Amino acid sequence: MAILPDLSQKLSWTLHSLRFIKKHLLLILFLGLVAGLGRAAQLRAFGPISPMLDTFLEIVIQTARILIFLFSLGLTNIKKGINRFLKIFSPQTSDRPNWKTALTILKQQWIAVVLNISAFMVIAFLINLLIDHIAYETCLYATLRADGIISSDSSEWSIILFLKNISIIPLTLVFNATLLLWFVNRVPQQVSKA
């Protein structure tokens, strides 16, 4: 049974991402819901909208996504997430050790990188499969239109993108933030095991 602890250690950033979402589900779901409703409105789920409102909604959607990413990168502290992002991507020479650390980790733990990306791809595929099933194989779309919850001008894409904004997109943002933390050796052990 030594394979399971070794595998869970190799999948540390995927497991951390899932645990982080579980622990902070309400906030991440709220931000995803804001983005999802905005995207559904852009796709005429609630009727036609003006170009100005469309632009405003795009700003709201992208802001919600950025907040999820920074919240994850800062391990629940958006200000710390901004500072980490700036530090990681700053061109200053004092930040070079971050990239050296990342390259060293990549060389030493390339199997873990492949396993984490593969695990994420499987999870993303399954979530997308479920979303497609809900949108095309159930009567949800027809029921929402018949009950007047969504406009008759909308398509299945309003449901698909709404569901993606509350599921796979936040997961991807948290996963990518954790990837950055993992590459610069900043995923705290106590959070990873939470």
Side-chain angles (χ1 to χ4, degrees):
M1 281 298 185
I3 293 174
L4 287 178
D6 188 46
L7 185 60
S8 70
Q9 188 165 6
K10 289 208 183 317
L11 291 172
S12 64
W13 102 58
T14 300
L15 294 173
H16 169 77
S17 298
L18 295 172
R19 289 178 184 135
F20 187 85
I21 288 174
K22 179 182 174 187
K23 189 172 183 178
H24 305 287
L25 183 63
L26 291 179
L27 179 63
I28 292 170
L29 188 60
F30 172 75
L31 292 170
L33 187 62
V34 168
L37 288 172
R39 189 64 79 209
Q42 286 180 318
L43 293 170
R44 298 185 204 180
F46 312 113
I49 62 171
S50 69
M52 190 165 198
L53 181 56
D54 185 69
T55 302
F56 173 74
L57 288 173
E58 190 62 34
I59 293 168
V60 169
I61 292 164
Q62 297 309 325
T63 301
R65 290 177 179 174
I66 290 168
L67 288 174
I68 291 171
F69 180 78
L70 294 174
F71 180 76
S72 305
L73 190 62
L75 299 169
T76 72
N77 185 324
I78 292 174
K79 185 177 178 182
K80 193 181 277 187
I82 292 168
N83 290 335
R84 278 193 177 135
F85 183 83
L86 293 174
K87 186 176 180 184
I88 290 170
F89 292 104
S90 174
Q92 297 173 356
T93 57
S94 64
D95 292 329
R96 293 279 183 219
N98 282 335
W99 292 110
K100 286 182 182 177
T101 302
L103 288 174
T104 302
I105 290 173
L106 181 60
K107 287 177 186 176
Q108 293 173 348
Q109 299 184 30
W110 66 270
I111 292 174
V113 173
V114 170
L115 285 173
N116 279 282
I117 291 173
S118 298
F120 174 76
M121 288 173 59
V122 168
I123 294 168
F125 174 78
L126 292 174
I127 291 172
N128 282 318
L129 195 66
L130 178 63
I131 289 170
D132 283 349
H133 177 76
I134 290 169
Y136 294 114
E137 305 295 328
T138 67
C139 57
L140 178 64
Y141 174 66
T143 303
L144 291 174
R145 283 181 67 186
D147 291 345
I149 296 171
I150 62 172
S151 169
S152 59
D153 293 340
S154 67
S155 69
E156 290 93 349
W157 277 99
S158 58
I159 294 171
I160 291 170
L161 293 181
F162 172 78
L163 293 173
K164 284 180 184 280
N165 274 282
I166 62 171
S167 60
I168 192 62
I169 293 172
L171 175 62
T172 303
L173 293 167
V174 172
F175 183 82
N176 288 336
T178 307
L179 166 68
L180 283 176
L181 291 172
W182 189 81
F183 270 126
V184 294
N185 209 17
R186 295 277 191 266
V187 178
Q189 294 301 323
Q190 68 272 20
V191 177
S192 296
K193 295 179 181 178

